[in-house]
Amino acid sequence: MKPDADLSLRGHVRLLAEFLEALDLRDVTLVLNDWGGGQFLISERLAGRVGRLALVACEASASRGSPAA
């Protein structure tokens, strides 16, 4: 990464969109955890190469106060 790279959430999503474009991928299925990338792809109008989004929560049971297994 360049030292001045935009590593905000929107910056990460632009990197993802540029990656899909560089590989000329189309109708991509993206499986994303709950970092917000799917929502930003849509709100920033960068989802043109995405056919499907699977948004998955990544909360661990320990973070909800449940006893460890």
Side-chain angles (χ1 to χ4, degrees):
M1 300 297 296
K2 295 179 182 176
D4 62 341
D6 179 3
L7 298 179
S8 67
L9 285 175
R10 284 186 170 89
H12 276 98
V13 168
R14 281 192 292 276
L15 288 172
L16 176 58
E18 290 171 10
F19 176 75
L20 297 176
E21 185 176 341
L23 294 179
D24 196 27
L25 298 175
R26 300 175 189 279
D27 197 29
V28 173
T29 299
L30 289 177
V31 179
L32 304 167
N33 65 6
D34 55 4
W35 65 282
Q39 294 87 332
F40 277 114
L41 273 170
I42 294 167
S43 70
E44 298 294 310
R45 301 181 191 267
L46 296 172
R49 295 179 176 268
V50 178
R52 289 161 299 283
L53 285 174
L55 305 177
V56 182
C58 64
E59 184 174 284
S61 60
S63 67
R64 293 192 317 252
S66 301

